[in-house]
Coordinates of all heavy atoms in Angstrom, one line a residue:
M133 N -56.7 -97.7 98.6 CA -57.9 -97.1 97.9 C -57.5 -96.5 96.6 O -58.3 -96.6 95.7 CB -58.4 -96.0 98.9 CG -59.6 -95.3 98.3 SD -61.0 -96.5 98.3 CE -62.3 -95.4 98.1
C134 N -56.3 -96.1 96.4 CA -56.0 -95.4 95.1 C -56.1 -96.4 93.9 O -56.5 -96.0 92.8 CB -54.5 -94.9 95.2 SG -54.4 -93.5 96.3
Y135 N -55.8 -97.7 94.1 CA -55.9 -98.6 93.0 C -57.3 -98.9 92.6 O -57.5 -99.3 91.5 CB -55.2 -99.9 93.4 CG -55.7 -100.7 94.6 CD1 -56.8 -101.4 94.6 CD2 -54.9 -100.6 95.7 CE1 -57.2 -102.1 95.7 CE2 -55.3 -101.3 96.9 CZ -56.5 -102.0 96.8 OH -56.9 -102.6 98.0
E136 N -58.3 -98.5 93.4 CA -59.7 -98.6 93.0 C -60.1 -97.6 92.0 O -61.1 -97.8 91.3 CB -60.6 -98.5 94.2 CG -60.5 -99.6 95.2 CD -61.0 -101.0 94.6 OE1 -61.7 -101.0 93.6 OE2 -60.6 -102.0 95.2
L137 N -59.3 -96.5 91.8 CA -59.6 -95.5 90.9 C -59.0 -95.7 89.5 O -59.3 -94.9 88.6 CB -59.1 -94.1 91.5 CG -59.7 -93.8 92.9 CD1 -59.0 -92.4 93.4 CD2 -61.2 -93.6 92.8
V138 N -58.3 -96.7 89.3 CA -57.7 -97.0 88.0 C -58.9 -97.4 87.1 O -59.8 -98.1 87.5 CB -56.7 -98.2 88.1 CG1 -56.2 -98.6 86.7 CG2 -55.6 -97.8 89.0
P139 N -58.8 -96.9 85.8 CA -59.9 -97.3 84.9 C -60.1 -98.8 84.7 O -59.2 -99.5 84.8 CB -59.4 -96.7 83.5 CG -58.4 -95.7 83.9 CD -57.8 -96.1 85.2
D140 N -61.3 -99.2 84.6 CA -61.6 -100.7 84.5 C -61.3 -101.3 83.2 O -61.0 -102.5 83.1 CB -63.1 -100.9 84.7 CG -63.6 -100.8 86.1 OD1 -62.7 -100.9 87.0 OD2 -64.7 -100.6 86.4
D141 N -61.2 -100.5 82.1 CA -60.9 -101.1 80.8 C -59.4 -100.9 80.4 O -58.7 -100.0 80.9 CB -61.8 -100.5 79.7 CG -61.7 -99.0 79.7 OD1 -61.1 -98.4 80.6 OD2 -62.2 -98.4 78.7
H142 N -59.0 -101.8 79.6 CA -57.6 -101.8 79.1 C -57.7 -102.3 77.6 O -58.5 -103.1 77.3 CB -56.7 -102.7 79.9 CG -55.2 -102.5 79.6 ND1 -54.7 -103.4 78.6 CD2 -54.3 -101.7 79.9 CE1 -53.4 -103.0 78.5 NE2 -53.2 -102.0 79.3
W143 N -56.8 -101.8 76.8 CA -56.9 -102.2 75.4 C -56.8 -103.7 75.2 O -57.3 -104.3 74.2 CB -55.8 -101.5 74.6 CG -54.4 -101.9 74.9 CD1 -53.6 -101.3 75.8 CD2 -53.7 -103.1 74.5 NE1 -52.4 -102.0 75.9 CE2 -52.4 -103.1 75.1 CE3 -54.0 -104.1 73.5 CZ2 -51.5 -104.1 74.8 CZ3 -53.0 -105.1 73.3 CH2 -51.8 -105.0 73.9
S144 N -56.1 -104.4 76.1 CA -56.0 -105.9 76.0 C -57.3 -106.7 76.3 O -57.3 -107.9 76.1 CB -54.8 -106.4 76.8 OG -55.1 -106.2 78.2
D145 N -58.3 -106.0 76.8 CA -59.5 -106.7 77.2 C -60.4 -107.0 76.0 O -61.3 -107.8 76.0 CB -60.4 -105.8 78.1 CG -59.7 -105.7 79.5 OD1 -58.9 -106.6 79.9 OD2 -60.0 -104.7 80.2
G146 N -60.1 -106.4 74.8 CA -60.9 -106.7 73.6 C -62.0 -105.7 73.5 O -62.2 -104.8 74.4
V147 N -62.8 -105.9 72.5 CA -63.9 -105.0 72.3 C -65.1 -105.2 73.3 O -65.5 -104.3 73.9 CB -64.5 -105.1 70.9 CG1 -65.7 -104.3 70.7 CG2 -63.4 -104.8 69.9
S148 N -65.5 -106.4 73.5 CA -66.5 -106.7 74.5 C -66.4 -108.1 75.0 O -65.7 -108.9 74.4 CB -67.9 -106.5 73.9 OG -68.1 -107.5 72.9
D149 N -67.0 -108.3 76.1 CA -67.0 -109.7 76.7 C -68.4 -110.1 77.0 O -69.1 -109.3 77.7 CB -66.1 -109.6 78.0 CG -65.0 -110.6 78.0 OD1 -65.0 -111.5 77.1 OD2 -64.1 -110.5 78.8
A150 N -68.8 -111.2 76.6 CA -70.2 -111.7 76.8 C -70.3 -112.1 78.3 O -71.4 -111.9 78.8 CB -70.5 -112.9 75.9
V151 N -69.3 -112.5 78.9 CA -69.3 -112.9 80.3 C -68.5 -111.9 81.2 O -67.3 -111.8 81.0 CB -68.8 -114.3 80.5 CG1 -68.8 -114.8 82.0 CG2 -69.5 -115.3 79.7
P152 N -69.1 -111.2 82.1 CA -68.4 -110.2 82.9 C -67.3 -110.9 83.7 O -67.5 -111.9 84.3 CB -69.5 -109.7 83.8 CG -70.8 -109.9 83.1 CD -70.6 -111.2 82.4
G153 N -66.1 -110.3 83.7 CA -65.0 -110.8 84.4 C -64.2 -111.8 83.7 O -63.1 -112.2 84.2
R154 N -64.6 -112.3 82.6 CA -63.9 -113.3 81.9 C -62.5 -112.8 81.4 O -61.5 -113.5 81.5 CB -64.6 -113.9 80.6 CG -63.9 -115.0 79.9 CD -64.7 -115.7 78.9 NE -65.4 -114.8 78.0 CZ -66.2 -115.1 77.1 NH1 -66.5 -116.4 76.9 NH2 -66.9 -114.3 76.3
S155 N -62.4 -111.6 80.9 CA -61.1 -111.0 80.5 C -60.2 -110.9 81.7 O -59.0 -111.1 81.5 CB -61.3 -109.7 79.8 OG -61.8 -108.7 80.6
L156 N -60.7 -110.6 82.8 CA -59.8 -110.4 84.0 C -59.3 -111.8 84.4 O -58.1 -112.0 84.8 CB -60.5 -109.8 85.2 CG -60.8 -108.3 85.1 CD1 -61.6 -107.8 86.2 CD2 -59.5 -107.5 84.9
Y157 N -60.1 -112.8 84.4 CA -59.7 -114.2 84.7 C -58.7 -114.7 83.7 O -57.7 -115.2 84.1 CB -60.9 -115.1 84.7 CG -60.5 -116.6 84.8 CD1 -60.1 -117.1 86.0 CD2 -60.5 -117.4 83.7 CE1 -59.7 -118.4 86.1 CE2 -60.1 -118.7 83.8 CZ -59.8 -119.2 85.0 OH -59.4 -120.5 85.1
R158 N -58.9 -114.4 82.4 CA -58.0 -114.8 81.3 C -56.6 -114.1 81.6 O -55.6 -114.7 81.5 CB -58.6 -114.5 80.0 CG -57.7 -115.0 78.9 CD -58.3 -114.7 77.5 NE -58.4 -113.3 77.2 CZ -59.6 -112.7 77.0 NH1 -60.7 -113.3 77.0 NH2 -59.6 -111.4 76.8
R159 N -56.7 -112.8 81.8 CA -55.5 -112.0 82.1 C -54.7 -112.6 83.3 O -53.5 -112.7 83.2 CB -55.8 -110.6 82.3 CG -54.5 -109.7 82.4 CD -54.8 -108.3 82.8 NE -55.7 -107.7 81.9 CZ -56.4 -106.6 82.1 NH1 -56.4 -106.1 83.3 NH2 -57.2 -106.1 81.2
T160 N -55.4 -112.9 84.4 CA -54.7 -113.4 85.5 C -54.1 -114.7 85.3 O -53.0 -115.0 85.7 CB -55.7 -113.5 86.7 OG1 -56.3 -112.2 87.0 CG2 -55.1 -114.1 88.0
R161 N -54.7 -115.6 84.5 CA -54.2 -116.9 84.1 C -52.9 -116.8 83.3 O -51.9 -117.5 83.5 CB -55.3 -117.7 83.4 CG -55.0 -119.2 83.3 CD -56.1 -120.0 82.7 NE -56.0 -119.7 81.2 CZ -57.0 -119.3 80.5 NH1 -58.2 -119.1 81.0 NH2 -56.8 -119.2 79.2
I162 N -53.0 -115.8 82.3 CA -51.8 -115.6 81.4 C -50.6 -115.0 82.3 O -49.5 -115.5 82.1 CB -52.2 -114.7 80.3 CG1 -53.1 -115.5 79.3 CG2 -50.9 -114.3 79.5 CD1 -53.8 -114.6 78.3
L163 N -50.9 -114.0 83.1 CA -49.9 -113.4 83.9 C -49.3 -114.5 84.8 O -48.1 -114.5 85.0 CB -50.4 -112.3 84.7 CG -50.7 -111.0 83.9 CD1 -51.5 -110.0 84.8 CD2 -49.5 -110.4 83.3
S164 N -50.1 -115.3 85.4 CA -49.6 -116.4 86.3 C -48.6 -117.3 85.5 O -47.5 -117.7 86.1 CB -50.7 -117.2 86.8 OG -51.5 -116.5 87.7
A165 N -48.9 -117.7 84.3 CA -48.0 -118.5 83.5 C -46.7 -117.8 83.2 O -45.7 -118.4 83.2 CB -48.8 -119.0 82.2
V166 N -46.8 -116.5 82.9 CA -45.6 -115.8 82.5 C -44.7 -115.5 83.7 O -43.5 -115.6 83.6 CB -46.0 -114.4 81.8 CG1 -44.8 -113.5 81.6 CG2 -46.7 -114.7 80.5
L167 N -45.3 -115.2 84.8 CA -44.5 -114.9 86.0 C -44.1 -116.0 86.9 O -43.2 -115.9 87.7 CB -45.2 -113.8 86.8 CG -45.5 -112.5 86.1 CD1 -46.3 -111.5 87.0 CD2 -44.1 -111.8 85.7
A168 N -44.7 -117.2 86.7 CA -44.3 -118.4 87.5 C -42.8 -118.7 87.4 O -42.2 -119.0 88.5 CB -45.2 -119.5 87.2
P169 N -42.2 -118.7 86.2 CA -40.8 -119.1 86.2 C -39.9 -118.1 86.9 O -38.7 -118.4 87.2 CB -40.5 -119.0 84.6 CG -41.8 -119.2 84.0 CD -42.8 -118.6 84.9
Y170 N -40.4 -116.9 87.3 CA -39.7 -115.9 88.1 C -40.0 -116.1 89.6 O -39.6 -115.2 90.3 CB -40.0 -114.5 87.5 CG -39.5 -114.3 86.1 CD1 -40.4 -114.5 85.1 CD2 -38.2 -114.1 85.8 CE1 -40.0 -114.3 83.7 CE2 -37.8 -113.9 84.5 CZ -38.7 -114.0 83.5 OH -38.3 -113.9 82.2
G171 N -40.7 -117.1 89.9 CA -41.0 -117.3 91.3 C -42.1 -116.4 91.9 O -42.1 -116.1 93.1
L172 N -43.0 -115.9 91.0 CA -44.0 -115.0 91.4 C -45.4 -115.7 91.2 O -45.6 -116.5 90.3 CB -43.9 -113.7 90.6 CG -42.6 -113.0 90.7 CD1 -42.6 -111.8 89.7 CD2 -42.4 -112.5 92.1
T173 N -46.3 -115.3 92.0 CA -47.7 -115.7 91.9 C -48.6 -114.5 91.6 O -48.2 -113.4 92.0 CB -48.2 -116.5 93.1 OG1 -48.2 -115.6 94.2 CG2 -47.4 -117.7 93.3
V174 N -49.7 -114.7 90.9 CA -50.6 -113.6 90.6 C -52.0 -114.0 91.1 O -52.4 -115.1 90.8 CB -50.7 -113.3 89.1 CG1 -51.6 -112.2 88.8 CG2 -49.3 -113.0 88.6
S175 N -52.7 -113.1 91.8 CA -54.0 -113.4 92.2 C -54.9 -112.2 92.0 O -54.4 -111.1 92.0 CB -54.1 -113.8 93.7 OG -53.6 -112.8 94.5
D176 N -56.2 -112.5 91.7 CA -57.2 -111.4 91.5 C -58.0 -111.4 92.7 O -58.8 -112.3 93.0 CB -57.9 -111.8 90.2 CG -59.0 -110.8 89.9 OD1 -59.1 -109.7 90.7 OD2 -59.8 -111.0 89.0
P177 N -58.0 -110.3 93.4 CA -58.9 -110.2 94.6 C -60.4 -110.1 94.3 O -61.2 -110.1 95.2 CB -58.4 -108.9 95.4 CG -57.6 -108.1 94.3 CD -57.2 -109.1 93.3
G178 N -60.7 -110.0 93.0 CA -62.1 -110.0 92.7 C -62.8 -108.7 92.5 O -64.0 -108.6 92.2
T179 N -62.1 -107.6 92.8 CA -62.7 -106.3 92.7 C -61.8 -105.4 91.9 O -60.6 -105.4 92.2 CB -63.1 -105.7 94.0 OG1 -61.9 -105.5 94.8 CG2 -64.1 -106.5 94.8
G180 N -62.2 -104.7 91.0 CA -61.4 -103.7 90.3 C -60.4 -104.4 89.3 O -60.3 -105.6 89.2
P181 N -59.6 -103.5 88.6 CA -58.7 -104.0 87.6 C -57.3 -104.4 88.2 O -56.4 -104.6 87.4 CB -58.6 -102.8 86.7 CG -58.7 -101.6 87.7 CD -59.7 -102.1 88.7
H182 N -57.2 -104.4 89.5 CA -55.9 -104.7 90.1 C -55.7 -106.2 90.4 O -56.6 -106.9 90.4 CB -55.7 -103.9 91.3 CG -56.7 -104.1 92.3 ND1 -58.0 -103.6 92.3 CD2 -56.7 -104.8 93.5 CE1 -58.7 -103.9 93.3 NE2 -58.0 -104.7 94.0
C183 N -54.4 -106.5 90.6 CA -54.1 -107.9 91.0 C -53.0 -107.8 92.1 O -52.3 -106.8 92.2 CB -53.7 -108.8 89.8 SG -52.2 -108.2 88.9
V184 N -52.8 -108.9 92.7 CA -51.8 -109.0 93.8 C -50.7 -109.9 93.3 O -51.0 -111.1 92.8 CB -52.3 -109.5 95.1 CG1 -51.2 -109.6 96.2 CG2 -53.5 -108.6 95.6
I185 N -49.5 -109.4 93.3 CA -48.3 -110.2 92.9 C -47.5 -110.5 94.1 O -47.2 -109.6 94.9 CB -47.5 -109.5 91.8 CG1 -48.4 -109.2 90.6 CG2 -46.3 -110.3 91.4 CD1 -47.8 -108.5 89.5
A186 N -47.1 -111.8 94.3 CA -46.3 -112.1 95.5 C -45.1 -113.0 95.1 O -45.1 -113.7 94.1 CB -47.2 -112.9 96.5
N187 N -44.1 -113.0 95.9 CA -42.9 -113.8 95.7 C -42.9 -115.0 96.7 O -43.8 -115.0 97.6 CB -41.6 -113.0 95.7 CG -41.3 -112.4 97.0 OD1 -41.8 -112.8 98.1 ND2 -40.4 -111.4 96.9
R188 N -42.0 -115.9 96.6 CA -41.9 -117.0 97.5 C -41.4 -116.7 98.9 O -41.5 -117.5 99.8 CB -41.0 -118.1 96.9 CG -41.6 -118.7 95.6 CD -40.7 -119.7 95.0 NE -41.3 -120.2 93.8 CZ -40.7 -120.6 92.7 NH1 -39.3 -120.5 92.7 NH2 -41.3 -121.0 91.7
K189 N -41.0 -115.5 99.1 CA -40.5 -115.0 100.4 C -41.6 -114.4 101.2 O -41.4 -114.0 102.3 CB -39.3 -114.1 100.2 CG -38.1 -114.7 99.6 CD -37.0 -113.6 99.4 CE -35.8 -114.2 98.7 NZ -34.8 -113.2 98.4
G190 N -42.8 -114.3 100.6 CA -44.0 -113.7 101.3 C -44.2 -112.3 101.1 O -45.2 -111.7 101.6
A191 N -43.4 -111.6 100.3 CA -43.6 -110.2 100.0 C -44.7 -110.1 98.9 O -44.7 -111.0 98.0 CB -42.4 -109.5 99.5
A192 N -45.5 -109.2 99.0 CA -46.6 -109.0 98.0 C -46.9 -107.5 97.8 O -46.7 -106.7 98.6 CB -47.9 -109.7 98.5
E193 N -47.3 -107.2 96.5 CA -47.7 -105.8 96.2 C -48.9 -105.9 95.3 O -49.1 -106.8 94.6 CB -46.5 -105.1 95.4 CG -45.3 -104.8 96.2 CD -44.3 -104.0 95.4 OE1 -44.7 -103.1 94.6 OE2 -43.1 -104.2 95.7
V194 N -49.6 -104.8 95.4 CA -50.8 -104.6 94.5 C -50.4 -103.9 93.2 O -49.7 -102.9 93.3 CB -51.9 -103.8 95.2 CG1 -53.0 -103.5 94.2 CG2 -52.4 -104.5 96.4
A195 N -50.7 -104.5 92.1 CA -50.5 -103.9 90.8 C -51.8 -103.2 90.3 O -52.8 -103.9 90.1 CB -50.0 -104.9 89.8
A196 N -51.8 -101.9 90.2 CA -53.0 -101.2 89.9 C -53.2 -101.2 88.4 O -52.9 -100.3 87.7 CB -53.0 -99.8 90.4
G197 N -53.7 -102.3 87.9 CA -53.9 -102.5 86.4 C -52.7 -103.1 85.7 O -51.6 -103.2 86.3
L198 N -52.9 -103.5 84.5 CA -52.0 -104.3 83.7 C -50.6 -103.5 83.5 O -49.6 -104.1 83.7 CB -52.5 -104.7 82.4 CG -51.7 -105.6 81.6 CD1 -51.3 -106.9 82.3 CD2 -52.3 -105.9 80.2
P199 N -50.6 -102.2 83.2 CA -49.4 -101.5 83.1 C -48.4 -101.6 84.3 O -47.2 -101.6 84.1 CB -49.8 -100.1 82.7 CG -51.1 -100.2 82.1 CD -51.8 -101.4 82.9
A200 N -49.0 -101.6 85.5 CA -48.2 -101.7 86.7 C -47.6 -103.1 87.0 O -46.7 -103.2 87.8 CB -49.0 -101.1 87.8
V201 N -48.2 -104.1 86.4 CA -47.8 -105.5 86.7 C -46.3 -105.7 86.5 O -45.6 -106.2 87.4 CB -48.6 -106.5 85.8 CG1 -47.9 -107.8 85.9 CG2 -50.0 -106.5 86.3
W202 N -45.8 -105.1 85.4 CA -44.3 -105.4 85.1 C -43.4 -104.7 86.1 O -42.4 -105.3 86.5 CB -44.0 -105.0 83.7 CG -45.0 -105.6 82.8 CD1 -46.0 -105.0 82.0 CD2 -45.3 -107.0 82.6 NE1 -46.7 -105.9 81.3 CE2 -46.4 -107.1 81.7 CE3 -44.8 -108.2 83.1 CZ2 -46.9 -108.4 81.3 CZ3 -45.3 -109.4 82.7 CH2 -46.3 -109.5 81.8
Q203 N -43.7 -103.6 86.5 CA -42.9 -102.9 87.5 C -43.0 -103.6 88.9 O -42.0 -103.8 89.5 CB -43.3 -101.4 87.7 CG -42.4 -100.6 88.6 CD -41.0 -100.6 88.2 OE1 -40.7 -100.3 87.1 NE2 -40.1 -100.9 89.1
V204 N -44.2 -103.9 89.3 CA -44.3 -104.6 90.6 C -43.6 -106.0 90.5 O -42.9 -106.4 91.5 CB -45.8 -104.8 90.9 CG1 -46.0 -105.8 92.1 CG2 -46.5 -103.5 91.2
A205 N -43.8 -106.7 89.4 CA -43.1 -108.0 89.3 C -41.6 -107.8 89.4 O -40.9 -108.6 90.0 CB -43.5 -108.7 87.9
Q206 N -41.0 -106.8 88.7 CA -39.6 -106.6 88.8 C -39.1 -106.3 90.2 O -38.1 -106.7 90.6 CB -39.2 -105.5 87.8 CG -37.7 -105.4 87.6 CD -37.1 -106.7 87.1 OE1 -37.4 -107.1 85.9 NE2 -36.3 -107.4 87.9
N207 N -40.0 -105.5 90.9 CA -39.6 -105.2 92.3 C -39.5 -106.4 93.2 O -38.7 -106.5 94.1 CB -40.7 -104.2 92.9 CG -40.7 -102.9 92.3 OD1 -39.7 -102.5 91.6 ND2 -41.7 -102.1 92.5
L208 N -40.4 -107.4 92.9 CA -40.5 -108.6 93.7 C -39.6 -109.7 93.3 O -39.3 -110.7 94.1 CB -41.9 -109.1 93.8 CG -42.9 -108.1 94.5 CD1 -44.3 -108.6 94.3 CD2 -42.6 -108.0 96.0
S209 N -39.1 -109.7 92.1 CA -38.3 -110.8 91.6 C -36.8 -110.6 91.8 O -36.3 -109.4 91.8 CB -38.5 -111.0 90.1 OG -37.7 -112.0 89.6
S210 N -36.1 -111.6 92.1 CA -34.6 -111.5 92.2 C -33.9 -111.5 90.9 O -32.7 -111.3 90.8 CB -34.1 -112.6 93.1 OG -34.4 -113.9 92.5
R211 N -34.7 -111.9 89.8 CA -34.1 -111.9 88.5 C -34.7 -110.9 87.6 O -35.8 -110.4 87.8 CB -34.4 -113.3 87.9 CG -33.8 -114.4 88.6 CD -34.1 -115.8 88.1 NE -34.6 -115.9 86.7 CZ -35.5 -116.8 86.4 NH1 -36.0 -117.6 87.2 NH2 -35.9 -116.8 85.1
R212 N -34.0 -110.5 86.6 CA -34.6 -109.6 85.6 C -35.7 -110.3 84.8 O -35.5 -111.4 84.3 CB -33.4 -109.1 84.6 CG -33.9 -108.1 83.6 CD -32.7 -107.7 82.7 NE -33.3 -107.0 81.5 CZ -33.7 -107.6 80.4 NH1 -33.5 -109.0 80.3 NH2 -34.1 -107.0 79.4
I213 N -36.8 -109.6 84.7 CA -37.9 -110.2 84.0 C -37.9 -109.8 82.5 O -37.8 -108.6 82.2 CB -39.3 -109.8 84.6 CG1 -39.4 -110.3 86.0 CG2 -40.4 -110.1 83.8 CD1 -40.6 -110.0 86.8
D214 N -37.9 -110.8 81.7 CA -37.9 -110.6 80.2 C -39.0 -111.4 79.6 O -38.8 -112.6 79.4 CB -36.5 -110.9 79.7 CG -36.5 -110.7 78.1 OD1 -37.5 -110.2 77.6 OD2 -35.5 -111.1 77.6
V215 N -40.2 -110.8 79.4 CA -41.3 -111.5 78.9 C -41.1 -112.0 77.4 O -41.9 -112.7 76.9 CB -42.6 -110.8 79.0 CG1 -42.9 -110.6 80.5 CG2 -42.6 -109.5 78.3
L216 N -40.0 -111.5 76.8 CA -39.7 -111.9 75.4 C -38.5 -112.9 75.4 O -38.0 -113.2 74.3 CB -39.4 -110.7 74.5 CG -40.5 -109.7 74.4 CD1 -40.1 -108.5 73.6 CD2 -41.7 -110.4 73.8
D217 N -38.2 -113.4 76.5 CA -37.1 -114.4 76.6 C -37.5 -115.7 75.8 O -38.6 -116.2 76.0 CB -36.9 -114.8 78.1 CG -35.9 -115.9 78.2 OD1 -35.1 -116.2 77.3 OD2 -35.9 -116.6 79.3
P218 N -36.7 -116.1 74.8 CA -37.0 -117.2 73.9 C -37.3 -118.5 74.7 O -38.2 -119.2 74.3 CB -35.8 -117.4 73.1 CG -35.1 -116.1 73.1 CD -35.4 -115.5 74.4
V219 N -36.7 -118.7 75.8 CA -36.9 -119.9 76.6 C -38.3 -119.9 77.2 O -39.0 -120.8 77.2 CB -35.8 -120.1 77.7 CG1 -36.1 -121.3 78.6 CG2 -34.5 -120.3 77.0
L220 N -38.7 -118.7 77.7 CA -40.0 -118.5 78.3 C -41.1 -118.7 77.2 O -42.1 -119.4 77.4 CB -40.1 -117.2 79.0 CG -41.5 -116.8 79.5 CD1 -41.9 -117.7 80.6 CD2 -41.5 -115.3 80.0
L221 N -40.9 -118.0 76.1 CA -41.9 -118.1 75.0 C -42.0 -119.6 74.5 O -43.2 -120.0 74.3 CB -41.5 -117.2 73.9 CG -41.5 -115.7 74.2 CD1 -41.0 -114.9 73.0 CD2 -42.9 -115.3 74.6
E222 N -40.9 -120.3 74.5 CA -41.0 -121.7 74.1 C -41.8 -122.5 75.1 O -42.6 -123.4 74.7 CB -39.6 -122.3 73.9 CG -39.6 -123.8 73.5 CD -40.1 -124.1 72.1 OE1 -40.1 -123.2 71.3 OE2 -40.6 -125.2 71.9
A223 N -41.6 -122.3 76.3 CA -42.3 -123.0 77.4 C -43.8 -122.6 77.4 O -44.7 -123.5 77.7 CB -41.8 -122.6 78.8
L224 N -44.2 -121.4 77.0 CA -45.6 -121.0 77.0 C -46.3 -121.4 75.7 O -47.5 -121.4 75.6 CB -45.7 -119.5 77.1 CG -45.2 -119.0 78.5 CD1 -45.2 -117.4 78.5 CD2 -46.1 -119.5 79.6
A225 N -45.5 -121.8 74.6 CA -46.1 -122.1 73.3 C -46.9 -123.4 73.4 O -46.6 -124.3 74.1 CB -45.0 -122.2 72.3
P226 N -48.1 -123.4 72.7 CA -48.9 -124.6 72.6 C -48.1 -125.7 71.8 O -47.3 -125.3 71.0 CB -50.2 -124.2 72.0 CG -49.8 -122.9 71.2 CD -48.7 -122.3 71.9
G227 N -48.4 -126.9 72.1 CA -47.7 -128.0 71.4 C -47.0 -128.9 72.2 O -46.9 -128.8 73.5
P228 N -46.2 -129.9 71.7 CA -45.5 -130.9 72.4 C -44.5 -130.4 73.4 O -44.3 -130.9 74.4 CB -44.8 -131.7 71.3 CG -45.6 -131.4 70.0 CD -46.1 -130.0 70.2
S229 N -43.8 -129.3 73.0 CA -42.7 -128.8 74.0 C -43.2 -127.6 74.8 O -42.5 -127.2 75.7 CB -41.5 -128.4 73.1 OG -41.9 -127.3 72.3
G230 N -44.4 -127.2 74.6 CA -44.9 -126.0 75.3 C -45.8 -126.4 76.5 O -46.0 -127.5 76.8
A231 N -46.4 -125.4 77.0 CA -47.2 -125.5 78.3 C -48.5 -126.3 78.1 O -49.1 -126.9 79.0 CB -47.6 -124.1 78.8
D232 N -49.1 -126.3 76.8 CA -50.3 -127.0 76.6 C -50.2 -128.5 76.2 O -51.1 -129.1 75.8 CB -51.1 -126.3 75.5 CG -51.6 -124.9 75.9 OD1 -51.7 -124.7 77.1 OD2 -51.9 -124.1 75.0
A233 N -49.0 -129.0 76.4 CA -48.7 -130.4 76.0 C -49.4 -131.3 77.0 O -49.6 -131.1 78.1 CB -47.2 -130.7 76.0

């Protein structure tokens, strides 16, 4: 229940969204791409600003908003998470060698 009390807005959501929920969907999609190389999945239960992060061993935790995502992800990953890792950034970059190829 505590995660339901987290504020709905976050600076990364932008000023406004014409379609309700679009920013949460976009955030979940981006987080999924960033955390997949660490063996983690991200899902949005559809209510509130939280998401569920799970590892391949079946463990899962609720991240109450975007700031908590990184701590929860680190708790569930067997590797150190570095979202600025050059190899990860290259894989996520659009273009021939990136994820949008």
